[in-house]
Amino acid sequence: FVVRSDSNILEDVEVQKLLLLFRTINSFGDDHYLLPMLHIDFLDVDILDIYDWEERSRRERQSVWLLFRASKKKRLKALYRQIEHWAKEAANRSFLDLYGLVIRESGILRHILNLPEASDKINKFHALLDEVTALSRSNHNFRLVDFVAFLNTVATHHLSVKQRRETATSGVELMTAHRSKGLEFDYVYLVGVYDGHWGNKRSSQTFRI
């Protein structure tokens, strides 16, 4: 199936994982985003390690980042070096370059390609890339810090980022009645059409001030 909607791509679960990763890179050294980021599934961090760091951080009053850096486990050492590398790149490269770098190196692309709804997810990531490209055109020095500021503005004012390109995937098309206006199909199935939901919502009550 193909979902045709004007939903906010920033609310997609996989997109939110990528955004959390970017916020963590931007706030390198700050525990606020680190602990939630370590729970991201495709990063493959043992959840007991996270809870151990959290407890030790409270008990010993030291940063989780320092515990993360001091880890002797091969996977955790590699992940720390990778995030440290992205943080350095964020300060020296455009965000458009960093976006491609993180997509390639983080494992998120491999992760979403293995999902049942991979096509829809890929289109949402393309839509996010379209937005980043548009922002970069208006500011040639657009960096990660600018992208995070953009995300904060969007959240503060309850704005959304819509999907600009349509997926070419074939299948049954799912859409709202409003979205279907002006379109033609050989077969149409109306779901959830019952009295009081689709029509006959009129009320005899008068408007009271």
Side-chain angles (χ1 to χ4, degrees):
F1 65 90
V2 181
V3 177
R4 306 289 188 190
S5 71
D6 294 320
S7 59
N8 183 6
I9 63 169
L10 300 183
E11 294 177 350
D12 180 83
V13 174
E14 306 309 322
V15 170
Q16 287 180 349
K17 292 174 186 177
L18 179 63
L19 299 183
L20 177 57
L21 197 51
F22 282 132
R23 286 187 180 278
T24 307
I25 296 166
N26 185 62
S27 302
F28 188 84
D30 186 343
D31 289 350
H32 180 72
Y33 292 110
L34 177 61
L35 287 172
M37 186 220 70
L38 290 171
H39 284 85
I40 294 176
D41 47 9
F42 62 82
L43 295 180
D44 197 27
V45 176
D46 189 332
I47 199 166
L48 289 177
D49 286 324
I50 304 171
Y51 292 155
D52 178 52
W53 291 343
E54 200 170 7
E55 175 60 30
R56 286 177 58 192
S57 176
R58 283 195 298 265
R59 187 175 66 248
E60 300 172 12
R61 294 184 178 181
Q62 65 172 307
S63 168
V64 178
W65 277 99
L66 295 178
L67 298 173
F68 184 22
R69 184 180 65 178
S71 175
K72 302 299 182 184
K73 292 187 177 181
K74 185 177 179 181
R75 169 60 191 145
L76 296 174
K77 286 171 67 176
L79 181 58
Y80 177 85
R81 286 197 300 267
Q82 192 171 46
I83 297 172
E84 182 183 43
H85 170 67
W86 290 334
K88 289 178 180 177
E89 292 297 298
N92 293 282
R93 298 176 67 164
S94 71
F95 180 64
L96 197 56
D97 288 343
L98 182 69
Y99 183 92
L101 187 69
V102 173
I103 287 288
R104 290 192 303 273
E105 296 181 353
S106 65
I108 191 170
L109 186 58
R110 182 171 60 254
H111 166 71
I112 61 177
L113 286 174
N114 287 322
L115 297 175
E117 64 276 28
S119 178
D120 180 57
K121 298 293 184 182
I122 288 292
N123 276 281
K124 284 185 169 64
F125 275 72
H126 275 306
L128 181 61
L129 178 59
D130 287 342
E131 191 68 30
V132 170
T133 303
L135 291 167
S136 299
R137 283 199 199 101
S138 60
N139 177 5
H140 296 301
N141 293 315
F142 193 76
R143 301 290 177 93
L144 174 59
V145 64
D146 300 308
F147 179 66
V148 171
F150 164 76
L151 292 177
N152 292 339
T153 300
V154 166
T156 300
H157 299 285
H158 307 289
L159 305 175
S160 60
V161 176
K162 305 294 185 184
Q163 198 163 321
R164 297 182 182 183
R165 60 175 75 179
E166 292 285 359
T167 176
T169 305
S170 61
V172 176
E173 299 195 38
L174 306 179
M175 67 185 70
T176 62
H178 178 76
R179 182 110 164 112
S180 68
K181 289 179 180 178
L183 303 179
E184 295 183 3
F185 301 94
D186 293 329
Y187 301 95
V188 175
Y189 300 87
L190 302 180
V191 182
V193 181
Y194 55 86
D195 194 44
H197 177 76
W198 179 262
N200 284 338
K201 284 189 175 181
R202 294 177 184 172
S203 172
S204 60
Q205 292 181 352
T206 57
F207 180 78
R208 293 186 178 87
I209 298 177

